[in-house]
Amino acid sequence: MADAQLLEDYLKKTGKTKTHIAKVMKISRPYMYKLLANPQLCTVGQAEMICKELDIKKKSDRDNIFLP
């Protein structure tokens, strides 16, 4: 199961806001909140953008966040 809490931890660690991530990804804030609540809904491209913005480099963390 996707680990939305781990994604939230990365947001806090980097200090970036959900609004900032939504702007970078060129998506609406409500859609960003939907993706963060249920990260396995992200496309591969969206997951890559989030990982880049939040500096998620560990494969195990990426898998835990985005794979069901």
Side-chain angles (χ1 to χ4, degrees), residues 1-67:
M1 175 160 234
D3 190 348
Q5 183 58 50
L6 183 57
L7 187 55
E8 289 288 334
D9 293 344
Y10 270 99
L11 278 165
K12 289 177 186 172
K13 179 179 166 184
T14 62
K16 294 187 178 178
T17 65
K18 295 172 184 174
T19 302
H20 168 78
I21 303 297
K23 285 181 183 178
V24 169
M25 294 177 66
K26 297 180 181 168
I27 60 175
S28 68
R29 279 185 30 198
Y31 186 62
M32 183 71 216
Y33 279 86
K34 181 179 177 180
L35 291 179
L36 292 177
N38 202 355
Q40 70 264 20
L41 296 177
C42 290
T43 64
V44 172
Q46 290 170 331
E48 288 175 348
M49 291 173 91
I50 291 171
C51 287
K52 182 179 177 184
E53 280 300 307
L54 299 181
D55 199 31
I56 302 172
K57 295 181 180 175
K58 288 178 63 179
K59 183 182 181 319
S60 61
D61 284 352
R62 290 191 310 257
D63 290 350
N64 287 336
I65 292 169
F66 296 105
L67 296 179

